Every structure is written in structure tokens, then in C-alpha cells.
Amino acid sequence: MASNVRPESLERITTPALAEKFITEQLEALRQQIGDKKVLLALSGGVDSSVVAALLIRAVGKQLVCVHVNHGLLRKGEPEQVVQVFRDELGAELIYVDAVDRFLDKLAGVEEPETKRKIIGKEFIDVFAEEAKKLDGIHFLAQGTIYPDILESGPVKSHHNVGGLPEELSFELVEPVKFLYKDEVRVVGKTLGLPDNMVFRQPFPGPGLGVRCVGAITRDRLEAVRESDAILREEFAGAGLEGKVWQYFTIVPNFKSTGITDGKRTYEWPVVIRAVNTVDAVTAEAAELDFQLVQKIVRRITSEVRGVNRVLWDVTPKPTGTIEWE
Ligand code: XMP
């Protein structure tokens, strides 16, 4: 049984030079462990799985098979970026699975937040396991486990993940960043040449935009979440707030209100904006922002996002409000 305690010899990775040293050692260890066998990885495009993919591509090249499951709940441009960076630029063996209809059909009419999470988690494992079954000769399963995942106790993990793996996925594990903290994973990712918007991205929940499309997910409201999120991120980036505000995103609730556009009454959804600062996500404060920026974002969202006539800004601290709405 491999140890789950960070070795004392592992220096805290704070500089590119220390990251280079870690990368060199890991490449050697990965080649030793894997030999000429094949490795499977679920590549979401998040920091952890992206860094694991980049390490494995360097270590064993085409022996790595990446599977990217597009469940329809990713942010605008994310699935495309995964394909571009890993298949086109790094030459990875990448299977892209368009599972959008499958997920949205399963979620249709489901209102309860934890049930939505469970469906998304289970469906993800099912799709991934089906892809794994189609492949021959896989010996290892790579995972982007990081040290806080190991240190965190049961309840947090069960909130964020979906229990054990099915038999189809019972391969030997490869976990090259399991002793690293998030900031160290980012330094390693940057040193490996991954794009900044992949390495320094804000936290994004596993169930993705699904928990921001309140209640039963519909395609039109989900599109409003995705488009408003893209506008918010673009405006925050333009204002130099990327990496300065801890987490920011939009929510589309399942109610409508009256408004007016071009002299005509409308009855449409609001977009809720949440922008928070926190140290550990246990407590959080609404980020203080320039009011002109706020007004610009409101103008853009109400004029560019279909089906939206109003914007609300959620300034509730945690507690009492959680960061996400579901
Ligand atoms: P809350 O909403 O509980 O969120 O204040 C705290 C942090 O956790 C993220 N979050 C999740 N991450 N799966 C995840 O991987 C989830 O189901 C989930 N729910 C919340 C949230 O985005 C915030 O950063």
C-alpha cells in the first residue's frame, strides 16, 4: 500500500526551479511505474487533471489515453480549449465524448440540488466507464488527486465526489500530484507550459453550471447561465480582476419578473451575480467592486443574454449564504 503522507524530503514547490526538479523526478518515477503499459485519464480541463495529463504526456506520450466528457455543464469555450491544448498542441491521444444530450435528458425535471449532483456524478462515472470498456490494454488509471483531497475528511469528499469506482475502472492508480497543495500544482502547471487561464482558473464545482441553473435544468436557462458567466469573466479580466477576486460567477433562478425592453413589457429571468473573496471557502465576503464596472456588466448581460431582463447582485456573506446557490 502506497503511503498517503507527504514525504518530508518534498520541499514546498514555490518557484519554477523547484517545479523543474519535481517534474524531472516525477517523469522518472512515472516511467518506472508505467513501463510500456497504457494509462487512462478523465481530463476535465481543471487544473489538477490538466497538470497530470501534461506530466504523463511528457513521461509516456501516446501510452496515455485521455477522455474528455462534455456533460453540457462546462463554461463557454472549455471543451474546445481542452481539445486544442491537449490534442492539437500537446499531441495527446484524446477521446472527446459529447454526452450533452445524455446528461440533460437525465436531469430533465429534477429539482432537488443533491439529487442533481448525484445524477451528474453517477452519469459521469458511467460515461467514463463505458469509454474505458471500449479500450484495449489499459493497465493504469491516472487521477488528479491532490494533498487536500487526502487530508480532507469524509463529509467533504462525499459532498464533492461520488464514492468508489466501478469494476470497469478498477485499474492500478497513478497519482503524480497527490502530495501537492493547489498552489504547488499551479506552479508545476505553469512550468509545464499550460495556458494561464487553465492553471490559474478559479474553483469550479464538479457539477459545473448545473448547480447555477437553479431547480430543474432547462437548455434555455442553462444557456443564459453560460452566456452571462462568459460576459462576467470577460469584464472581470478586462478590469484586471482575474486572480484578484477569488470566485465569481452567475446564477439563473427559476422565476421570472416583469421588465421593459424597447417600450414593450417583458416577462423574463433575472441573472444573479456572485463575486466573493475567501481564504478557505468556509467563510466568504462579497467582493467590493467599482460601481461603473457593475453597471457595465448589468448593461451587457441584459442586452446580450437571451431571456434575461434584470440583474441582481448577491452581496450575502457566507454564512449565511453558501457561495453557490445549490
Ligand atoms: P459552498 O457553496 O458550499 O462552496 O459555499 C464552497 C466551495 O466549494 C465549491 N463547490 C463544489 N465543488 N463539487 C465541487 O467540486 C460540488 O458539488 C461543489 N459545491 C460547491 C464552490 O464552488 C466553492 O468554491
Side-chain angles (χ1 to χ4, degrees), residues 117 159-160 203-207 212 246-247 281 318 322-324 326:
R117 273 200 176 76
H159 173 57
H160 286 179
F204 188 59
R212 298 174 184 170
W246 195 80
Q247 194 174 15
K318 177 183 179 179
T322 47
I323 296 175
E324 304 286 346
E326 285 195 336

Short mmCIF file of all heavy atoms in Angstrom, two decimals, residues 117 159-160 203-207 212 246-247 281 318 322-324 326, ligand 1:
data_model
loop_
_atom_site.label_atom_id
_atom_site.label_comp_id
_atom_site.label_asym_id
_atom_site.label_seq_id
_atom_site.Cartn_x
_atom_site.Cartn_y
_atom_site.Cartn_z
N ARG A 117 -26.77 16.71 -8.18
CA ARG A 117 -25.35 16.38 -8.01
C ARG A 117 -25.10 14.89 -8.20
O ARG A 117 -24.16 14.48 -8.86
CB ARG A 117 -24.88 16.74 -6.61
CG ARG A 117 -24.42 18.14 -6.45
CD ARG A 117 -23.53 18.24 -5.20
NE ARG A 117 -22.99 19.58 -5.11
CZ ARG A 117 -23.69 20.65 -4.71
NH1 ARG A 117 -24.97 20.52 -4.38
NH2 ARG A 117 -23.13 21.85 -4.66
N HIS A 159 -19.46 15.13 -0.25
CA HIS A 159 -20.20 16.27 -0.81
C HIS A 159 -19.74 16.53 -2.23
O HIS A 159 -20.51 16.85 -3.12
CB HIS A 159 -19.97 17.49 0.08
CG HIS A 159 -20.55 18.77 -0.46
ND1 HIS A 159 -21.87 18.91 -0.76
CD2 HIS A 159 -19.95 19.95 -0.77
CE1 HIS A 159 -22.08 20.14 -1.22
NE2 HIS A 159 -20.94 20.78 -1.24
N HIS A 160 -18.43 16.37 -2.44
CA HIS A 160 -17.88 16.79 -3.74
C HIS A 160 -17.68 15.64 -4.72
O HIS A 160 -17.54 15.87 -5.91
CB HIS A 160 -16.53 17.50 -3.53
CG HIS A 160 -16.71 18.88 -2.98
ND1 HIS A 160 -15.67 19.71 -2.68
CD2 HIS A 160 -17.82 19.58 -2.69
CE1 HIS A 160 -16.14 20.85 -2.22
NE2 HIS A 160 -17.43 20.80 -2.22
N PRO A 203 -11.93 28.30 -8.67
CA PRO A 203 -12.54 26.99 -8.41
C PRO A 203 -13.83 26.83 -9.21
O PRO A 203 -14.55 27.80 -9.42
CB PRO A 203 -12.87 27.04 -6.91
CG PRO A 203 -12.25 28.26 -6.37
CD PRO A 203 -11.85 29.15 -7.48
N PHE A 204 -14.07 25.61 -9.66
CA PHE A 204 -15.29 25.33 -10.43
C PHE A 204 -15.85 24.00 -9.94
O PHE A 204 -15.12 23.00 -9.92
CB PHE A 204 -14.93 25.26 -11.92
CG PHE A 204 -16.13 25.16 -12.83
CD1 PHE A 204 -17.10 26.16 -12.82
CD2 PHE A 204 -16.28 24.09 -13.69
CE1 PHE A 204 -18.21 26.08 -13.67
CE2 PHE A 204 -17.39 24.01 -14.54
CZ PHE A 204 -18.35 25.00 -14.53
N PRO A 205 -17.09 23.98 -9.47
CA PRO A 205 -17.62 22.74 -8.89
C PRO A 205 -17.72 21.61 -9.91
O PRO A 205 -17.99 21.88 -11.09
CB PRO A 205 -19.00 23.13 -8.38
CG PRO A 205 -19.36 24.39 -9.09
CD PRO A 205 -18.07 25.07 -9.48
N GLY A 206 -17.54 20.38 -9.46
CA GLY A 206 -17.67 19.21 -10.33
C GLY A 206 -18.97 19.22 -11.14
O GLY A 206 -18.95 18.98 -12.35
N PRO A 207 -20.13 19.50 -10.48
CA PRO A 207 -21.39 19.51 -11.23
C PRO A 207 -21.55 20.74 -12.11
O PRO A 207 -22.60 20.96 -12.72
CB PRO A 207 -22.46 19.50 -10.13
CG PRO A 207 -21.75 19.29 -8.85
CD PRO A 207 -20.33 19.69 -9.03
N ARG A 212 -25.81 26.06 -10.91
CA ARG A 212 -26.07 27.51 -11.05
C ARG A 212 -27.32 27.76 -11.90
O ARG A 212 -27.68 28.91 -12.15
CB ARG A 212 -24.84 28.19 -11.65
CG ARG A 212 -23.65 28.03 -10.73
CD ARG A 212 -22.37 28.54 -11.30
NE ARG A 212 -21.27 28.26 -10.38
CZ ARG A 212 -20.00 28.42 -10.68
NH1 ARG A 212 -19.66 28.87 -11.88
NH2 ARG A 212 -19.07 28.14 -9.79
N TRP A 246 -11.63 35.96 -5.69
CA TRP A 246 -11.42 34.51 -5.53
C TRP A 246 -12.32 33.67 -6.42
O TRP A 246 -11.90 32.72 -7.06
CB TRP A 246 -11.62 34.15 -4.06
CG TRP A 246 -11.11 32.82 -3.68
CD1 TRP A 246 -9.80 32.49 -3.42
CD2 TRP A 246 -11.87 31.62 -3.51
NE1 TRP A 246 -9.72 31.17 -3.10
CE2 TRP A 246 -10.97 30.60 -3.14
CE3 TRP A 246 -13.23 31.32 -3.61
CZ2 TRP A 246 -11.38 29.31 -2.89
CZ3 TRP A 246 -13.65 30.03 -3.37
CH2 TRP A 246 -12.71 29.03 -3.01
N GLN A 247 -13.61 34.03 -6.45
CA GLN A 247 -14.55 33.27 -7.27
C GLN A 247 -15.69 34.18 -7.70
O GLN A 247 -16.21 34.94 -6.88
CB GLN A 247 -15.10 32.07 -6.48
CG GLN A 247 -15.81 31.04 -7.34
CD GLN A 247 -16.20 29.78 -6.56
OE1 GLN A 247 -16.20 29.78 -5.33
NE2 GLN A 247 -16.56 28.73 -7.28
N ALA A 281 -12.83 29.06 1.70
CA ALA A 281 -14.20 28.74 1.25
C ALA A 281 -15.15 28.36 2.39
O ALA A 281 -16.32 28.08 2.16
CB ALA A 281 -14.22 27.66 0.16
N LYS A 318 -20.87 34.51 3.52
CA LYS A 318 -21.01 33.12 3.98
C LYS A 318 -20.40 33.02 5.37
O LYS A 318 -19.20 33.28 5.49
CB LYS A 318 -20.30 32.18 3.03
CG LYS A 318 -20.35 30.71 3.48
CD LYS A 318 -19.58 29.80 2.58
CE LYS A 318 -19.65 28.37 3.09
NZ LYS A 318 -18.95 27.42 2.23
N THR A 322 -24.33 30.23 1.32
CA THR A 322 -23.18 29.50 0.79
C THR A 322 -22.68 30.25 -0.44
O THR A 322 -23.34 31.19 -0.90
CB THR A 322 -23.57 28.06 0.38
OG1 THR A 322 -24.77 28.14 -0.39
CG2 THR A 322 -23.76 27.18 1.60
N ILE A 323 -21.53 29.86 -0.97
CA ILE A 323 -21.01 30.54 -2.15
C ILE A 323 -21.91 30.20 -3.35
O ILE A 323 -22.40 31.08 -4.03
CB ILE A 323 -19.53 30.16 -2.40
CG1 ILE A 323 -18.67 30.67 -1.23
CG2 ILE A 323 -19.05 30.75 -3.72
CD1 ILE A 323 -17.21 30.26 -1.28
N GLU A 324 -22.12 28.92 -3.59
CA GLU A 324 -23.03 28.50 -4.65
C GLU A 324 -24.47 28.65 -4.16
O GLU A 324 -24.71 28.73 -2.95
CB GLU A 324 -22.78 27.04 -5.04
CG GLU A 324 -21.35 26.73 -5.47
CD GLU A 324 -21.00 27.24 -6.85
OE1 GLU A 324 -21.93 27.63 -7.60
OE2 GLU A 324 -19.81 27.26 -7.18
N GLU A 326 -26.78 26.34 -4.86
CA GLU A 326 -27.35 24.99 -4.61
C GLU A 326 -26.27 24.12 -4.02
O GLU A 326 -25.08 24.28 -4.35
CB GLU A 326 -27.82 24.35 -5.92
CG GLU A 326 -29.12 24.94 -6.43
CD GLU A 326 -29.76 24.05 -7.51
OE1 GLU A 326 -29.04 23.29 -8.16
OE2 GLU A 326 -30.98 24.14 -7.66
P1 XMP B 1 -20.30 26.47 -0.94
O1 XMP B 1 -21.38 26.73 -1.97
O2 XMP B 1 -20.55 25.22 -0.15
O3 XMP B 1 -18.98 26.20 -1.78
O4 XMP B 1 -20.04 27.68 -0.07
C1 XMP B 1 -17.66 26.19 -1.29
C2 XMP B 1 -16.73 25.94 -2.48
O5 XMP B 1 -16.93 24.61 -2.99
C3 XMP B 1 -17.35 24.65 -4.35
N1 XMP B 1 -18.40 23.64 -4.52
C4 XMP B 1 -18.22 22.44 -5.09
N2 XMP B 1 -17.13 21.87 -5.63
N3 XMP B 1 -18.41 19.94 -6.16
C5 XMP B 1 -17.23 20.61 -6.18
O6 XMP B 1 -16.26 20.08 -6.70
C6 XMP B 1 -19.55 20.44 -5.62
O7 XMP B 1 -20.59 19.81 -5.63
C7 XMP B 1 -19.44 21.77 -5.06
N4 XMP B 1 -20.34 22.59 -4.44
C8 XMP B 1 -19.66 23.71 -4.11
C9 XMP B 1 -17.87 26.07 -4.58
O8 XMP B 1 -17.78 26.46 -5.95
C10 XMP B 1 -16.99 26.88 -3.67
O9 XMP B 1 -15.75 27.17 -4.29
#
